[in-house]
Amino acid sequence: MTDGIAWEPLRRELDRWQAAGRVARLWLRDDDAVEPTPDLETLLALTGESGVPLALAVIPGLTGEALAVRLAEEAGVAVAVHGWSHTNHAGPERKKQELGGERAAEAVLGELGEGFRLLERLHPARFLPVLVPPWNRIDAALIPALPGLGFAALSVYGRAKQDGPMPLLNTHIDIIDWHGTRGGRSAGELVAELVAELGDRFTGSDEPIGVLSHHLVHDAAAWDFLSALFATTARHPAVRWSPASALLKAQAREPVQGTRA
């Protein structure tokens, strides 16, 4: 399938939104940032040129002043809390999880509080009080304690469910093939998923659609997909790429709650 054909379903769906006078809200979350790297520079250049706001999930226990200095000049970047050290504490037969029930809740919450304060200090102008659990997993018993640490929302993966303990700002399209090549997934597959999410929003849900990337593992396919996605959507009248901070404020007025963590 050629690139042009792969992207045609998205163009048709966006034209449908435009004809109906509708605007879809998209946002971008990129995980595992620690320090300035060539891959991060590529991401910052790509989002900056396209005018796409970026929510960067930073690992507090592994980061420092170097990243803070680099991001100080990037107005379109927000920094969220990506756990503490991205360490797996689950047993060998369980899915990877840092924020699970294997350790005392006081220890886990203590690390999250420290991470919150550290990133708030390092990135005062762009800090986002959102917790992004490593591997998108968190023990449900920990969630009610997060507001007491200062967190305003949780960001995991999948459609948000109602009546949960905390607002969610989720992602829905993961561009990486974690169980195969561990590089970028095919454009056709990703476009189909995005069109499905848009169809859901057109008929009912108003949840923003989150695109999830991991700049440190991107191959050519991943970068090509993001470039084509931004080229197709960034200037389309039926799409608004929203800063996570704006979505968070809107959510405070009309919270979308629940968890699939």
Side-chain angles (χ1 to χ4, degrees):
M1 182 182 292
T2 65
D3 287 345
I5 296 175
W7 288 91
E8 189 56 33
L10 178 58
R11 297 187 185 100
R12 289 198 301 268
E13 180 66 16
L14 294 180
D15 289 345
R16 179 170 78 117
W17 279 68
Q18 182 180 5
R22 303 279 300 280
V23 177
R25 296 180 299 165
L26 275 64
W27 74 289
L28 177 65
R29 192 188 99 199
D30 184 275
D31 289 1
D32 299 348
V34 172
E35 61 186 356
T37 65
D39 289 323
L40 180 60
E41 291 300 325
T42 299
L43 180 65
L44 293 174
L46 183 58
T47 54
E49 291 165 2
S50 303
V52 173
L54 170 64
L56 203 57
V58 176
I59 304 173
L62 303 180
T63 195
E65 295 287 347
L67 183 63
V69 170
R70 175 60 187 88
L71 294 183
E73 56 195 81
E74 297 291 337
V77 179
V79 169
V81 182
H82 198 27
W84 168 246
S85 63
H86 215 299
T87 299
N88 175 33
H89 296 285
E93 303 302 320
R94 301 187 61 193
K95 291 183 177 180
K96 292 180 178 180
Q97 188 167 216
E98 179 175 60
L99 309 180
E102 296 80 12
R103 298 183 296 155
E106 293 78 6
V108 179
L109 294 171
E111 289 180 348
L112 291 178
E114 185 175 351
F116 184 105
R117 293 187 294 273
L118 175 64
L119 294 187
E120 187 178 36
R121 177 180 63 79
L122 287 173
H123 305 274
R126 62 199 70 258
F127 179 70
L128 193 68
V130 172
L131 174 62
V132 178
W135 299 286
N136 289 295
R137 300 186 186 109
I138 182 171
D139 191 303
L142 297 171
I143 297 174
L146 297 179
L149 299 177
F151 290 104
L154 184 67
S155 181
V156 289
Y157 188 81
R159 303 250 180 116
K161 296 182 180 180
Q162 297 297 321
D163 302 323
M166 191 173 191
L168 286 181
L169 185 59
N170 278 5
T171 56
H172 309 87
I173 309 292
D174 189 340
I175 74 171
I176 300 298
D177 178 13
W178 293 108
H179 301 293
T181 65
R182 298 187 68 81
R185 297 167 61 202
S186 74
E189 185 178 12
L190 290 167
V191 167
E193 288 186 7
L194 182 52
V195 168
E197 295 289 344
L198 286 165
D200 174 72
R201 305 314 190 271
F202 193 86
T203 57
S205 170
D206 63 352
E207 182 182 3
I209 300 172
V211 176
L212 175 59
S213 63
H214 287 74
H215 65 277
L216 291 175
V217 300
H218 284 191
D219 58 3
W223 290 122
D224 288 348
F225 173 79
L226 285 183
S227 296
L229 175 64
F230 297 161
T232 303
T233 61
R235 292 174 179 80
H236 196 288
V239 176
R240 179 182 301 118
W241 281 95
S242 300
S245 57
L247 297 176
L248 200 58
K249 290 177 182 177
Q251 196 174 62
R253 294 191 295 269
E254 299 181 12
V256 177
Q257 295 185 326
T259 184
R260 183 180 174 272

